[in-house]
Amino acid sequence: MPTKFSKETYLYWYELMQLIRQFELKAEEKYKMAGKIRGFFHAFVGQEALAAGCMTATRQDDPFITAYRDHGWALAKGVSPNACMAELYGKATGVAKGKGGSMHFFGVEHKFFGGHGIVGAQIGTGAGLAFAEQYRGTDNVVLCFFGDGAARQGILHETFNMAMLWKLPVIFICENNHYAMGTSVERTSNVRDIYKLADAYDMPGDMVDGMDPETVHDAVARAVKRAREKGGPTLLEMKTYRYKGHSISDPQKYRRKEELDEYKTKDPITLVTKHILEYNYATQQELDAIDARINEVVEESVRFAEESPWPDESELLKDVYAEKDYPFILD
C-alpha cells in the first residue's frame, strides 16, 4: 500500500531526526567524556518522531513552546546547531548568550519560545502566546509541549478552562514518555490516559502513537485545522519513549532494560529508513551521504562552541527583569 506522504516529506523527516539524534549523542559525549558541558541536560533521544510530524503539520510562523527537554524542538524550528551547542557550552554565541544553558533554549525569530525549567510553567505561557495571536487577528496556531509529569500541575487545569472559554488557537501536546522524572504515570494519577483530562473542559482530545511521524503529523494537522478555523484548542497525548534517563545524572533504576530494548524496536528513525528504502525514495548510499552531512554539521557545532568566547562579566546583570522603583527593597 503506497504511503500518502511524499518522498520529500520522508527525506525531510529522516534528515531532521538524524540531526536531532546526532546532536544529542554528541552533546552527551561532550558532557560525560570531555566535561565540556555542565549543569542540567535532558536528551530528546527516542522522541524525534514528535518533532518530525509536528513540523510538517504546521507553518514556520506557528509558535512552539516547551519545557526543559528542548534541544530537539529548537533544532526542528530552525535554530542554528552552532548556537545550540554554544549555549550548552555556556558561550556568548549561544541562543541565550550562554546564560540559559540546556533548559532555556530560545529562538524568537524562529518562533521558538523556550525552553522552561519550571515544571508546567510553559502551559500557561503557551496559552498566552495563543491569546496574542488571536488578539492580533492572525491564523497562527501555538503548539505547547509538556511532559506527563507536568500534566499533574494545577496550572494545566486553569489554562485548559480559560483556553476553551476563549477558544484560543493552541494545541496542548503531552509528550508522554511514561516516567516523568522517574515515577510512572500509573503511580501519579487515577487517570492514566492523559488525553481524557480534556473531557472536563469539552476540549477535543486524542491519544497518538508518538513513535511514528505519520501518525503525529495526521493528529497535529487535524488539530491545527480546527484551531485555524477558530474551533479552539486540542489536547494530544503523544505516547513516546526516551532512550536516555530523565536527565544526564539519572541512573534509570525505575525501568527494566527489557522495556527499553522493546521500545528501541519501534525506533522512529529505523521506521522512516525502512519506508524510504521500501518506496525507493532513496538508496542506502544516499542515506549514508545524508548521515555524513549531518555528522559534519554536528562536528562544526562543536568546533564553533569550543572556539567561541565566554560571556563578558558585563553580561552578568543584563537581561534580568527588574523594577527600578520597586518599593520593598531594604538596604
Side-chain angles (χ1 to χ4, degrees):
M1 180 179 175
T3 177
K4 64 182 178 180
F5 292 95
S6 68
K7 167 184 175 179
E8 290 73 22
T9 296
Y10 260 99
L11 290 176
Y12 168 78
W13 284 344
Y14 180 85
E15 187 161 343
L16 174 59
M17 291 195 295
Q18 281 287 27
L19 172 62
I20 295 171
R21 177 73 58 90
Q22 297 308 321
F23 181 92
E24 294 286 59
L25 292 176
K26 179 60 69 174
E28 182 182 29
E29 174 190 316
K30 293 301 176 183
Y31 192 113
K32 289 183 174 179
M33 306 298 291
K36 297 294 183 68
I37 298 172
R38 301 179 183 181
F40 292 103
F41 183 102
H42 304 83
F44 201 69
V45 176
Q47 301 184 196
E48 295 89 353
L50 301 181
C54 286
M55 285 304 298
T56 51
T58 56
R59 302 187 306 224
Q60 184 59 45
D61 283 343
D62 293 325
F64 283 22
I65 185 169
T66 189
Y68 41 73
R69 198 177 307 279
D70 57 358
H71 312 159
W73 292 115
L75 292 168
K77 284 296 277 182
V79 180
S80 160
N82 285 6
C84 289
M85 189 65 78
E87 188 62 35
L88 291 177
Y89 271 63
K91 296 299 186 70
T93 53
V95 293
K97 302 182 184 179
K99 296 186 283 187
S102 171
M103 297 197 295
H104 302 102
F105 278 22
F106 262 76
V108 176
E109 66 277 15
H110 297 93
K111 295 299 183 81
F112 179 66
F113 293 91
H116 294 264
I118 299 176
V119 176
Q122 76 280 10
I123 299 174
T125 308
L129 289 170
F131 176 79
E133 297 293 347
Q134 184 184 75
Y135 187 82
R136 288 196 292 260
T138 77
D139 68 343
N140 296 334
V141 177
V142 176
L143 268 62
C144 177
F145 304 93
F146 56 94
D148 45 285
R152 313 308 177 199
Q153 295 288 345
I155 192 173
L156 177 141
H157 298 279
E158 298 173 32
T159 302
F160 278 14
N161 185 61
M162 186 171 289
M164 278 301 293
L165 183 66
W166 291 347
K167 296 297 184 288
L168 297 180
V170 55
I171 304 171
F172 298 106
I173 297 179
C174 177
E175 300 174 66
N176 184 358
N177 56 31
H178 303 286
Y179 287 107
M181 284 186 70
T183 305
S184 67
V185 171
E186 290 78 7
R187 293 179 61 198
T188 60
S189 175
N190 187 55
V191 180
R192 299 182 180 184
D193 294 327
I194 293 171
Y195 76 97
K196 292 181 179 178
L197 295 176
D199 293 347
Y201 306 95
D202 285 338
M203 183 190 298
D206 203 1
M207 184 185 294
V208 183
D209 178 4
M211 302 299 282
D212 183 352
E214 285 198 8
T215 59
V216 172
H217 173 104
D218 286 343
V220 174
R222 288 193 299 271
V224 164
K225 183 175 185 295
R226 181 185 299 118
R228 293 204 205 284
E229 294 173 354
K230 304 187 186 307
T234 300
L235 171 61
L236 297 176
E237 178 186 358
M238 302 281 187
K239 286 294 187 72
T240 185
Y241 203 79
R242 51 173 167 78
Y243 297 166
K244 303 293 183 177
H246 170 71
S247 67
I248 206 145
S249 59
D250 179 4
Q252 307 178 60
K253 293 182 179 179
Y254 47 82
R255 64 181 180 185
R256 296 175 296 107
K257 181 181 182 298
E258 293 78 13
E259 180 181 280
L260 176 59
D261 291 341
E262 179 184 351
Y263 270 95
K264 285 185 176 181
T265 66
K266 307 173 185 178
D267 186 272
I269 296 178
T270 301
L271 176 68
V272 167
T273 300
K274 179 182 176 182
H275 282 359
I276 288 173
L277 296 176
E278 180 180 341
Y279 298 128
N280 296 315
Y281 287 162
T283 65
Q284 185 60 57
Q285 289 75 17
E286 289 170 325
L287 294 181
D288 291 344
I290 293 174
D291 293 350
R293 185 168 70 249
I294 293 298
N295 181 68
E296 180 51 38
V297 168
V298 173
E299 290 294 343
E300 170 56 30
S301 74
V302 171
R303 287 192 291 269
F304 177 82
E306 294 190 348
E307 294 171 3
S308 292
W310 297 104
D312 188 79
E313 289 182 2
S314 64
E315 288 288 324
L316 185 61
L317 297 180
K318 291 181 181 177
D319 306 309
V320 177
Y321 176 78
E323 184 179 344
K324 291 183 179 180
D325 299 322
Y326 188 67
F328 305 109
I329 295 177
L330 300 177
D331 293 330

